[in-house]
Amino acid sequence: MELSGLRTEVRERLNELTADFYTDAEVDRALNEGVRRFCAEEMWPFLLTEWTDGQLTADNAELDLPNNVSLTRVFNVAIDGDSLDRPRMLERVDAQEGFKLKHQYDGRTGIPRWYYIARSNLVLTGDEEPPIIYTAKMIPVPDATFTVDAQYMMVPIDLAAATDEPPIPLEYHEAVAAWATGKLLLKELAISQKASEQFGLYQKVLEQAKKDLRAFNLDETVAWGRQHPLRGYWADEFDPRFRIPPNVGI
């Protein structure tokens, strides 16, 4: 559902199809808060994102990350380059450990092995408006040019245009509309029974989404001791050996 449709849905619940007490700007703010609230509830699979446009240059240890990174969620980083026979996964360390490693490897260059989040644009510019851009620092300092691939959980960008859509499956858009409606009703009626009803709808959709998306169902029964994903070369004739555990029939 687009922003215009969500706005209409909220106004229908408020019994105010034409802007009077609530402006469109107020409705949009409440909807964006509902999107952020829902996306922050769980590590939703629909928020997984891959970034393939990063690049590290020689003697430059810093890399600006995309502007929609959720740093508290899944975050994998790999580098590749002419000096590597295959891509290398980097290990993320916390800021305290990264600061120590930076000084331990001071004056040395090489293939990066670790990274940590050094700062954000909030620190440098005092810019409190989204998006927030984080800067990662690599250790040791790169000695060549490397391309960067990353996987992370995205933070939703605010809906602005009428055709913008939230990064949430359509079946859960009702949660966004319910949260926005409840928030707006609190403004008009203080502690309102109608607001509680809307927050209850939000909670109901949230629980359904958790039930649906928290875990994936496998198409087959997993054999004991089997590792996912299977790594290395593979051929069809190997299937029976790897599908049957060795202690069957004992």
Side-chain angles (χ1 to χ4, degrees):
M1 191 182 303
E2 297 177 347
L3 175 59
S4 59
L6 287 169
R7 190 186 297 152
T8 300
E9 175 69 21
V10 171
R11 289 200 173 279
E12 287 177 347
R13 298 182 185 209
L14 295 171
N15 293 320
E16 187 185 282
L17 291 177
T18 302
D20 182 16
F21 186 79
Y22 303 101
T23 66
D24 284 345
E26 288 177 304
V27 175
D28 291 353
R29 284 198 301 270
L31 284 168
N32 280 313
E33 182 180 341
V35 172
R36 290 191 295 270
R37 178 74 59 179
F38 189 86
C39 289
E41 296 279 4
E42 287 284 336
M43 296 178 65
W44 304 114
F46 51 78
L47 296 179
L48 275 172
T49 305
E50 291 191 1
W51 177 51
T52 58
D53 298 329
Q55 187 178 69
L56 289 170
T57 56
D59 300 323
N60 180 23
E62 296 187 348
L63 177 68
D64 288 340
L65 303 179
N67 60 14
N68 62 342
V69 170
S70 176
L71 294 178
T72 59
R73 304 303 175 95
V74 176
F75 202 90
N76 295 316
V77 176
I79 61 172
D80 198 4
D82 295 337
S83 60
L84 299 176
D85 59 346
R86 62 178 62 87
R88 172 178 291 185
M89 294 294 298
L90 301 186
E91 180 182 353
R92 180 178 178 178
V93 296
D94 61 33
Q96 292 80 4
E97 183 64 24
F99 190 80
K100 296 176 183 178
L101 284 171
K102 180 185 71 170
H103 288 284
Q104 181 179 342
Y105 283 82
D106 184 39
R108 298 174 58 181
T109 62
I111 301 172
R113 296 179 56 189
W114 306 278
Y115 77 96
Y116 71 99
I117 304 304
R119 63 177 183 274
S120 73
N121 60 332
L122 297 181
V123 176
L124 292 180
T125 66
D127 183 9
E128 297 181 356
E129 295 295 326
I132 299 175
I133 299 176
Y134 295 94
T135 299
K137 185 164 290 188
M138 307 296 165
I139 305 167
V141 175
D143 60 355
T145 297
F146 299 96
T147 58
V148 179
D149 293 334
Q151 179 193 47
Y152 61 93
M153 288 282 185
M154 64 169 287
V155 174
I157 302 299
D158 282 355
L159 308 176
T163 55
D164 287 349
E165 298 183 9
I168 299 172
L170 180 61
E171 56 267 33
Y172 309 127
H173 284 193
E174 183 180 359
V176 176
W179 179 272
T181 305
K183 184 69 180 292
L184 293 170
L185 285 171
L186 287 178
K187 174 185 175 182
E188 180 182 7
L189 302 174
I191 301 176
S192 167
Q193 180 63 33
K194 292 184 179 180
S196 298
E197 292 173 358
Q198 293 298 320
F199 288 134
L201 286 174
Y202 168 85
Q203 195 64 35
K204 182 177 181 180
V205 177
L206 173 64
E207 293 303 320
Q208 183 62 49
K210 289 180 178 180
K211 180 180 178 181
D212 294 342
L213 301 175
R214 179 171 289 173
F216 294 101
N217 291 323
L218 298 176
D219 293 332
E220 58 182 336
T221 302
V222 180
W224 293 346
R226 186 174 179 180
Q227 181 182 13
H228 288 275
L230 296 174
R231 303 183 186 279
Y233 296 103
W234 186 256
D236 291 341
E237 59 267 22
F238 295 152
D239 283 350
R241 185 178 67 178
F242 283 94
R243 291 170 62 89
I244 301 175
N247 58 347
V248 170
I250 297 178

